[in-house]
Amino acid sequence: TLASMNNLAMLLEAKGLHDEAMPLCFATFKLRKALQLEGDTSARLLEMLDTGFNFAQLLLENGTYEEAVLLFRRIYDVRSCKLGSIHPSTLKSVEALSNCLRLMGKYDEAGDIAREAFDMCKIKLGKDHADTLAIQGQLAQLLFEKGDDMEAADLLIAAHAARTEMLGEDHP
């Protein structure tokens, strides 16, 4: 039932019905948060974090950056603690938090977060791992927007070379 509510909210958002999706997603988040507090199970916690992430995405898309960044930051902190810094859900949180900060014009903070994730991925996953390359691309975009064209270009060239080596020249 809560999963259905969350899915319906995401479907409404995908259809462009933001005003209908927002309260449904928020209600689902509040209910999951209340349930999680009743019984601190890992499954309930992860469901609550996923719903919170979706709600933060809706806030971001609505231009409510301050609220979105607070929620993304909390979700990132908990996911990092519970799942580890290189878990795909944690990396998704890093990417969203960094993107939100970038949209707010906080390039230095966004870059610091992306760089930390990039460095951790290189160590734990390797420099050619898909998640490492995704964070590398985001960091390059931030550096470019910040005006650090040379470092951005270096990162993009290295990412392109790694992808070409792994996937071949003809891969879309």
Side-chain angles (χ1 to χ4, degrees):
T1 49
L2 289 178
S4 297
M5 284 175 65
N6 188 51
N7 291 341
L8 177 58
M10 294 300 93
L11 177 65
L12 291 169
E13 179 63 26
K15 293 288 186 181
L17 301 171
H18 183 77
D19 291 339
E20 289 85 356
M22 204 60 163
L24 188 59
C25 190
F26 182 65
T28 307
F29 177 57
K30 281 177 39 179
L31 287 168
R32 280 198 167 149
K33 191 172 184 179
L35 282 174
Q36 192 268 323
L37 291 175
E38 284 178 11
D40 189 15
T41 67
S42 294
R44 283 187 177 167
L45 175 63
L46 296 179
E47 289 171 352
M48 188 268 297
L49 291 171
D50 289 345
T51 302
F53 185 88
N54 290 342
F55 184 60
Q57 287 287 89
L58 291 176
L59 290 170
L60 179 65
E61 291 168 16
N62 193 41
T64 316
Y65 299 139
E66 293 294 332
E67 289 180 47
V69 79
L70 290 173
L71 191 49
F72 280 135
R73 195 178 307 276
R74 277 190 239 136
I75 291 166
Y76 166 69
D77 289 344
V78 174
R79 281 180 170 170
S80 184
C81 179
K82 297 286 186 182
L83 302 173
S85 60
I86 60 162
H87 187 278
S89 293
T90 305
L91 293 173
K92 187 176 168 186
S93 298
V94 167
E95 195 173 348
L97 175 59
S98 179
N99 183 51
C100 189
L101 290 166
R102 180 185 64 81
L103 291 172
M104 294 171 72
K106 297 181 178 184
Y107 297 111
D108 289 336
E109 188 178 359
D112 290 346
I113 290 168
R115 187 176 304 281
E116 183 181 325
F118 175 54
D119 290 343
M120 184 64 69
C121 285
K122 283 192 300 187
I123 293 166
K124 300 280 187 174
L125 301 175
K127 66 181 181 64
D128 296 335
H129 190 277
D131 290 335
T132 305
L133 296 173
I135 295 288
Q136 184 175 356
Q138 183 170 359
L139 177 59
Q141 179 182 358
L142 283 162
L143 291 168
F144 178 75
E145 290 178 17
K146 188 178 163 186
D148 193 347
D149 297 348
M150 293 305 291
E151 188 178 359
D154 290 345
L155 286 171
L156 289 174
I157 290 168
H160 175 71
R163 286 188 176 113
T164 300
E165 186 176 317
M166 286 183 344
L167 303 171
E169 289 282 338
D170 299 332
H171 190 273

